[in-house]
Amino acid sequence: MSTASRIFRRGGRPAPRLTPGDAVAPRILTTITSERLRVPDPAALVHLQFRRFAGCPVCNLHLRSVARRHEEIRAAGIREVAVFHSPAESMLPHQGDLPFPAVADPGKSLYAAFGVESSPRALLDPRAWPAIFRVAFTRLPSVPGPGGALGLPADFLIGPDGLVREVKYGRHADDQWPVDELLSLAARHR
C-alpha cells in the first residue's frame, strides 16, 4: 500500500508526510464552482497547495500574489489548485474570483491523505508575525471556520505520472512557496 493511499495509521493519527517520489492516488476533485478536475493532471505539473480557512488573511494575501502571476505559472506548465478546510459556501466570497481552481475540504480528508497538520505554532511562530501584522490593518476577514485557525499550509508539486516531485510542509501560517520558488522548482522537472 502506497503512502498516499493510507489516510490514517492506528490510533487515528494523520497519514505520514509525503516525500518526493511518493505516488499520489488519482482522484477527481470538485471545485467551489462545481467543476471537476483530475489530480494528477496527465498534461501538467500540479501545484496542490493546502491553505488554512477561507477567510484567512495570510492565505488570501499569498493567493493574490499567485493570482497576479497566474499566466506566468500556466506558461511554465503548472496547474494551480488551492485547497481549504472550509465549506464551499464560505470560500466563494474569498476564493470565488481566483483564476485557478479552489477546492473545499471541510472534512479534511485531503489534508489527512497528504499528511497536512494543524498546530498552535501556525500563529505563535514569530516567523508568521510579519505576515500577520501586514494583514492586520486590511479589510480581509479573519474569522476561522469549522476547521479552526491552527492549520498549517503545505505545497505539493505533482507530476503527470502522479509522483510527488517537490513538497513543503509549512511550519507556520506564512510558510509556503512564493511564486519565484514554485517556478524554479517546476523548471527542474520539465
Side-chain angles (χ1 to χ4, degrees), residues 1 18 26 44-45 54-55 60 63 68 74 94 96 98 100 103 105 118 135 152 155 169 183 186:
M1 177 181 288
L18 299 180
L45 289 168
N60 287 306
L63 287 180
R68 281 192 299 275
R74 285 185 58 207
H94 307 288
L98 290 174
F100 49 85
V103 174
D105 185 25
S118 295
V135 298
L152 291 166
D155 293 276
Y169 287 96
L183 294 172

Side-chain angles (χ1 to χ4, degrees), residues 49-161:
Q49 55 174 302
F50 288 81
R51 301 293 113 205
R52 294 158 28 88
F53 57 95
C56 171
V58 174
C59 300
N60 287 306
L61 186 65
H62 171 68
L63 287 180
R64 297 303 166 202
S65 73
V66 174
R68 281 192 299 275
R69 297 182 63 190
H70 185 247
E71 287 306 314
E72 188 180 350
I73 293 167
R74 285 185 58 207
I78 304 166
R79 180 163 193 184
E80 196 67 47
V81 180
V83 180
F84 282 82
H85 59 71
S86 297
E89 53 277 0
S90 298
M91 290 176 62
L92 281 166
H94 307 288
Q95 290 82 41
D97 65 341
L98 290 174
F100 49 85
V103 174
D105 185 25
K108 291 186 167 183
S109 61
L110 280 173
Y111 285 77
F114 282 79
V116 180
E117 301 171 349
S118 295
S119 170
R121 72 180 181 267
L123 297 173
L124 298 177
D125 189 308
R127 293 171 293 182
W129 297 351
I132 293 168
F133 289 127
R134 241 185 351 263
V135 298
F137 300 105
T138 68
R139 295 177 183 227
L140 291 171
S142 61
V143 177
L150 302 179
L152 291 166
D155 293 276
F156 299 87
L157 193 59
I158 303 166
D161 58 1

Side-chain angles (χ1 to χ4, degrees), residues 47 62 69 72-73 76 78 155 157 166-169 174-190:
H47 175 213
H62 171 68
R69 297 182 63 190
E72 188 180 350
I73 293 167
I78 304 166
D155 293 276
L157 193 59
E166 303 283 346
V167 64
K168 177 180 181 93
Y169 287 96
D174 192 35
D175 191 15
Q176 66 267 321
W177 289 333
V179 174
D180 287 336
E181 186 174 354
L182 170 65
L183 294 172
S184 175
L185 292 170
R188 293 189 214 165
H189 299 286
R190 276 192 246 154

